[in-house]
Amino acid sequence: MHKVLLLNGPNLNLLGRREPEIYGHTTLAEIESRAQALGQQLGLAVDCLQSNAEHRLIERIHQTLDDHTTYIIFNPAAFTHTSLALRDALLAVQTPFVEVHLSDISQRESWRQHSWFSDIATRVITGQGAAGYEQALRFVADQLNQPLTT
Ligand code: DQA
């Protein structure tokens, strides 16, 4: 069974209570348990981590080198717009990842419109609310089920 890491950045632990008019009413616990249930149907083992600390996210990304994680689904939250260190971590491990945002960052403040991740992600899903994580998981399952073409 493929291992997928669902990684969420700062302030996403407050989902459901944090600016619900922007981020919705679904809690992170609900997002994680839905992802794990859908993962089971799709044959993916989903491991979840949320952290408010950049170094913790970096260390978890490094761990994917050794723990056989095949894909990452990542909402870097505010680090999307600031963190070269997280970008470098993803480039270092070369674990493919999908970038997810609940809100549509392309329609928000100008400083939210730049992402340090989009050009190196295999897919970017924005503005779909909590459903974006499920779309990401289905995309990952499709990618992993594709026959190898060499
Ligand atoms: C976010 C968008 C970011 O700009 C913001 O800092 C977040 C959440 C989103 O999911 O829409 O914390 O990544």
Side-chain angles (χ1 to χ4, degrees):
M1 198 184 253
H2 284 290
K3 285 171 74 170
V4 175
L5 171 63
L6 177 57
L7 195 58
N8 278 290
N11 302 306
L12 295 173
N13 55 310
L14 296 180
L15 282 179
R17 291 191 289 165
R18 172 194 181 200
E19 299 180 274
E21 65 288 358
I22 298 175
Y23 299 115
H25 293 276
T26 310
T27 65
L28 183 62
E30 286 165 341
I31 287 170
E32 291 179 344
S33 68
R34 282 182 203 166
Q36 282 171 331
L38 179 61
Q40 239 172 8
Q41 288 173 34
L42 297 170
L44 304 171
V46 180
D47 187 42
C48 303
L49 176 76
Q50 184 277 331
S51 181
N52 297 318
E54 192 175 23
H55 77 275
R56 183 76 192 90
L57 297 166
I58 291 169
E59 283 162 7
R60 185 63 189 88
I61 289 167
H62 290 176
Q63 217 180 307
T64 65
L65 269 181
D66 298 316
D67 71 1
H68 305 291
T69 296
T70 32
Y71 235 103
I72 301 173
I73 295 172
F74 189 23
N75 184 345
F79 290 141
T80 305
H81 321 294
T82 65
S83 184
L84 277 172
L86 278 164
R87 176 191 171 92
D88 281 351
L90 287 158
L91 288 172
V93 300
Q94 290 288 311
T95 307
F97 72 99
V98 181
E99 176 183 359
V100 175
H101 301 284
L102 295 129
S103 64
D104 184 355
I105 57 172
S106 72
Q107 300 298 316
R108 296 185 64 192
E109 303 93 325
S110 56
W111 40 268
R112 267 186 222 278
Q113 291 175 17
H114 178 258
S115 164
W116 286 108
F117 301 90
S118 299
D119 63 316
I120 55 167
T122 53
R123 174 126 191 222
V124 182
I125 298 174
T126 64
Q128 304 299 311
Y133 291 98
E134 290 169 37
Q135 289 174 22
L137 208 51
R138 289 186 192 281
F139 170 80
V140 169
D142 284 349
Q143 292 287 106
L144 295 175
N145 288 333
Q146 290 206 354
L148 289 176
T149 52
T150 43

